[in-house]
Amino acid sequence: MSDHTIETLSGEDRRFPPSAAFAAQANVHADVYDEPFEAFWERNGRERVTWFEPFTELYRWELPYAQWYLGGKLNVAYNCVDRHVEAGRGDRVAYHWEGEPAGEARTITYAELQRNVVRMANALKEIGVGKGTAVAIYMGMVPELAVAMLACTRLGAPHTVVFGGFSADSLSDRMNNMGCEVLVTQDEAWRRGKPVPLKTVADEAMGAAPGVRATLVVRRTGNPVPMTEGRDRWYHELEVSDDPASCPCEPMDSEELLFLMYTSGTTASPKGIAHTTAGYLVGVATTHSLIFDLKPETDVYWCAADIGWITGHSYIVYGPLCNGATSVMYEGTPDYPNHERWWEIIERYGVTILYTAPTAIRAHMKWGHEHAEAHDLSSLRLLGSVGEPINPEAWMWYHRHIGGERCPIVDTWWQTETGMVLITPLPGVTTTKPGSATRPFPGIEAAILNEEGERVEQGGGYLVLEKPWPAMTRGIYGDDARFRETYWSRFPGHYFAGDGARIDADGDFWLLGRVDDVMNVSGHRLSTIEVESVLVDHPKVAEAAVCGRADATTGQAIVAYVTLKGNEGPSVEMLEELRNHVAQKIGAIAKPANIVFTPELPKTRSGKIMRRLLRDVAENRSLGDTTALADPSVVSELASRAAEAPTDD
Ligand code: WTA
């Protein structure tokens, strides 16, 4: 039996120190880590945000709730839009928007964004939205989605954005939980060349959410959709002013609710994660500027996430706009009409900073690097990753084929609940290691604890946060008990993120995935990511997911699900080769008992591998809740492949 909380097996020893040229022009230097916690957040609070009334108290910490920048008054839309126009930067591009259908594009300057936001805010007022009215937004990746969010913040109306791929039930649950009175949606969205009937789904959702009394519908595809008299209004038909003077920005207290972002627990109902005004804005603006080394005058920044997730809220809308950045916003999928779409976009707009997820990087690896090679990606100067641990080989692929071996990579760890990035390299400062998110951001105190709650100086354990930070969630909407139980009960006084991590001899953090996914093989507690990363290290493997299944002798045995690259086909030889590869790289203990080859892995709609479902498949259990899956057909396909797969025992 091992006494380690989580054992660590990987021996990654590649190092990438910052280049002198990057360091010389970077927004931060190593001394930023020396600034005391309070001084750091006080300074950033004053410098990054324009206050209608300055704050008088930095923070108050009444476990588990923190409040930040108390006594201050501000408005998020003012900070993200109006102040840039007032400062003479109205001609700067806020968004280069690229529609999914070929040739559709819009360029929106800050001055145009201001007029759009005012127009939308006046339209919302017209249908009864005022300060405190809860608004749901159910849209695709169109500029009006960001405009609707900003219009809500202009009026002081909290919003919840529901990802456009969610079902009617998911939408009505969220609207009911938040008490939404108004819904902003669009006729249809484009996805992989097909229209997605958002308005029709919204109608069904409203049937189960009687509190919603008015709808604003944005025209996107132009196809006819049902409109309910007295409830639904076309946005383009409302005759309202776009003059900023017609709709001043509502002064908000620092701690007033900005938005809820629902995150699905693995089993229970979704949690409405609450974020408030000032701390959130300071947190996302500070991290966005320092982590992406943003130069607002010259950078073209592209976060390729969906605004329907926290990544899009913090790093497509609020952080970049607060910093006056020029961003790319893309409506569609990376494989439409072909695998070159992303690289075309980077070439066309001269993108300098790209922020995406390991799942997307692995998809591009599977499709092959020739698609990127067909385009000039030399404008890129920095790359980012978020959402899952990044396998070292995916990191290396990103570094070589996208970053041309010159771009620093920031692997950023954070959560819907944390609001902003908490563990990350700082470009120009940090020596990076493929697969490591490196260290806590300045002003963040993180630690690894063992089973007993003692600090682990080197090795694996549970990741916790020891002090509050400005953008941390203010709780689960309407459910204090669940908030305390989920995040604060495992290690009293500490925020427990639910992730395993290890800390190495340099003090760098390596994220190991959700602790629910940890496997126990002959008494050794192994993280899934390390075995997966060794599989992905094999030249023929594009993607891998592992999980444990019950085993009479070892407690659990490892089952691996593997997607091969391009044209590679599965074979018994391949299976043996991969098992031996794992045994050779990390030892016999991690050798998968069986391997199931599959063209796709089950993923959540935000692209994370769903290992819980893989366990169900591995144990021949009936499949639990599959509603969070992006493509439910993947699991039934997997189950039949698993039944046929040769096994070791
Ligand atoms: C995982 C997304 C490893 C982690 C911003 C976390 C990561 C969950 C990383 C939150 C990373 C996110 N390395 N794991 N760089 N970033 N995760 O709420 O398990 O969608 O707890 O927020 O994603 O996912 P969420």
Side-chain angles (χ1 to χ4, degrees):
M1 266 303 253
S2 144
D3 57 0
H4 291 286
T5 298
I6 304 177
E7 285 189 51
T8 57
L9 309 163
S10 102
E12 175 59 55
D13 53 13
R14 287 168 287 199
R15 301 283 178 274
F16 295 86
S19 74
F22 197 102
Q25 59 80 62
N27 286 356
V28 270
H29 305 286
D31 59 3
V32 69
Y33 290 107
D34 303 334
E35 194 171 350
F37 169 85
E38 285 172 16
F40 179 81
W41 288 119
E42 171 98 28
R43 181 172 62 76
N44 279 290
R46 297 208 188 286
E47 288 175 2
R48 299 201 180 270
V49 163
T50 304
W51 299 87
F52 294 155
E53 281 175 36
F55 59 92
T56 50
E57 188 182 344
L58 181 63
Y59 76 106
R60 202 179 290 168
W61 179 219
E62 284 150 10
L63 268 156
Y65 294 101
Q67 299 174 71
W68 281 82
Y69 303 112
L70 292 97
K73 282 198 189 293
L74 73 165
N75 181 279
V76 168
Y78 180 79
N79 274 279
C80 289
V81 185
D82 296 61
R83 65 169 175 160
H84 302 310
V85 179
E86 287 172 14
R89 296 188 290 269
D91 290 342
R92 184 182 295 165
V93 173
Y95 291 114
H96 292 289
W97 178 78
E98 166 118 345
E100 193 187 79
E104 269 197 61
R106 281 160 68 186
T107 297
I108 299 159
T109 64
Y110 275 90
E112 287 163 340
L113 184 62
Q114 185 186 35
R115 295 215 165 250
N116 286 326
V117 170
V118 169
R119 187 167 193 285
M120 180 75 80
N122 278 326
L124 288 171
K125 266 205 279 192
E126 183 91 7
I127 61 170
V129 175
K131 184 174 172 179
T133 312
V135 177
I137 304 176
Y138 182 63
M139 299 177 77
M141 284 285 286
V142 292
E144 287 76 11
L145 167 52
V147 167
M149 293 162 73
L150 292 161
C152 286
T153 72
R154 189 175 195 93
L155 299 174
H159 61 67
T160 189
V161 178
V162 178
F163 173 61
F166 272 128
S167 64
D169 283 351
S170 306
L171 177 57
S172 58
D173 283 352
R174 286 159 173 76
M175 294 195 295
N176 287 331
N177 184 272
M178 191 181 183
C180 293
E181 294 175 47
V182 168
L183 170 67
V184 185
T185 186
Q186 65 191 62
D187 49 8
E188 298 170 319
W190 285 117
R191 187 167 176 85
R192 230 173 245 123
K194 295 199 188 75
V196 181
L198 292 181
K199 175 63 168 66
T200 309
V201 175
D203 282 346
E204 196 187 326
M206 283 186 283
V212 179
R213 52 179 172 72
T215 319
L216 202 54
V217 187
V218 172
R219 195 162 63 185
R220 168 64 188 107
T221 63
N223 292 328
V225 291
M227 296 288 280
T228 299
E229 185 74 36
R231 183 193 69 187
D232 303 343
R233 309 285 294 270
W234 283 107
Y235 176 52
H236 66 271
E237 284 177 359
L238 285 180
E239 281 173 29
V240 288
S241 170
D242 66 358
D243 176 358
S246 70
C247 183
C249 296
E250 183 74 28
M252 301 293 283
D253 287 339
S254 289
E255 281 299 332
E256 280 183 283
L257 184 62
L258 182 62
F259 66 82
L260 300 182
M261 166 58 63
Y262 284 86
T263 171
S264 33
T266 27
T267 47
S269 59
K271 303 172 277 204
I273 301 297
H275 286 288
T276 57
T277 304
Y280 175 80
L281 191 64
V282 174
V284 298
T286 306
T287 47
H288 181 257
S289 170
L290 302 191
I291 296 168
F292 299 107
D293 189 49
L294 182 84
K295 309 283 192 273
E297 304 78 23
T298 49
D299 274 318
V300 179
Y301 162 87
W302 183 19
C303 169
D306 193 289
I307 293 176
W309 311 118
I310 193 69
T311 303
H313 279 51
S314 299
Y315 299 112
I316 299 178
V317 180
Y318 294 119
L321 293 177
C322 189
N323 290 334
T326 295
S327 294
V328 167
M329 187 194 294
Y330 171 51
E331 182 180 36
T333 58
D335 55 355
Y336 188 84
N338 56 47
H339 295 152
E340 294 193 14
R341 188 66 189 264
W342 272 25
W343 319 123
E344 257 170 46
I345 291 176
I346 290 178
E347 184 171 17
R348 180 164 332 122
Y349 299 103
V351 171
T352 59
I353 303 168
L354 174 65
Y355 189 32
T356 184
T359 183
I361 298 167
R362 292 186 306 251
H364 286 292
M365 280 172 78
K366 181 162 90 178
W367 297 330
H369 55 77
E370 59 274 17
H371 305 296
E373 256 138 49
H375 295 273
D376 178 4
L377 306 183
S378 62
S379 55
L380 286 170
R381 65 180 197 93
L382 188 139
L383 304 174
S385 171
V386 58
E388 284 184 294
I390 181 166
N391 318 98
E393 280 319 305
W395 196 104
M396 289 304 299
W397 188 92
Y398 200 27
H399 169 72
R400 272 192 204 115
H401 296 291
I402 309 306
E405 299 188 352
R406 74 183 173 275
C407 301
I409 297 182
V410 290
D411 173 7
T412 62
W413 178 87
W414 59 296
Q415 307 179 298
T416 302
E417 295 85 342
T418 72
M420 61 184 238
V421 174
L422 296 189
I423 301 183
T424 178
L426 289 181
V429 177
T430 312
T431 292
T432 55
K433 305 170 181 176
S436 170
T438 73
R439 39 185 310 195
F441 186 76
I444 297 303
E445 312 252 332
I448 312 279
L449 303 183
N450 67 15
E451 218 53 75
E452 285 72 48
E454 297 150 351
R455 212 180 163 115
V456 175
E457 298 302 336
Q458 205 182 312
Y462 303 107
L463 177 63
V464 297
L465 282 308
E466 301 190 300
K467 272 199 170 174
W469 60 96
M472 74 191 289
T473 178
R474 304 308 196 252
I476 299 175
Y477 189 70
D479 202 342
D480 173 64
R482 190 172 175 197
F483 181 56
R484 291 172 190 272
E485 168 62 26
T486 310
Y487 306 101
W488 303 92
S489 63
R490 180 69 180 80
F491 301 107
H494 293 74
Y495 173 85
F496 174 45
D499 281 358
R502 79 179 163 99
I503 186 163
D504 69 16
D506 302 324
D508 283 327
F509 288 68
W510 300 72
L511 276 300
L512 299 174
R514 309 292 300 166
V515 294
D516 310 339
D517 293 334
V518 168
M519 306 171 291
N520 194 328
V521 184
S522 305
H524 297 272
R525 290 171 53 77
L526 308 177
S527 79
T528 52
I529 182 69
E530 292 189 314
V531 181
E532 289 161 5
S533 289
V534 166
L535 287 163
V536 175
D537 168 75
H538 189 281
K540 291 182 180 156
V541 173
E543 195 157 40
V546 308
C547 66
R549 66 155 161 73
D551 181 278
T553 27
T554 56
Q556 280 193 315
I558 299 179
V559 183
Y561 298 82
V562 168
T563 303
L564 297 174
K565 276 187 192 155
N567 305 321
E568 302 291 340
S571 64
V572 179
E573 293 73 42
M574 190 69 209
L575 181 129
E576 270 320 302
E577 192 175 321
L578 289 179
R579 295 183 68 234
N580 291 332
H581 180 70
V582 175
Q584 194 196 341
K585 292 269 171 167
I586 46 180
I589 184 81
K591 198 167 168 177
N594 48 336
I595 295 182
V596 181
F597 292 100
T598 170
E600 296 290 344
L601 293 170
K603 308 252 177 83
T604 64
R605 287 164 209 266
S606 66
K608 296 184 209 297
I609 296 171
M610 276 186 89
R611 295 179 188 76
R612 175 177 62 81
L613 279 175
L614 294 175
R615 284 197 295 272
D616 291 344
V617 172
E619 307 220 316
N620 284 321
R621 276 195 298 262
S622 69
L623 301 177
D625 182 8
T626 57
T627 49
L629 274 178
D631 177 3
S633 69
V634 172
V635 262
S636 42
E637 166 80 19
L638 254 182
S640 62
R641 281 170 192 265
E644 291 160 12
T647 87
D648 183 40
D649 45 21

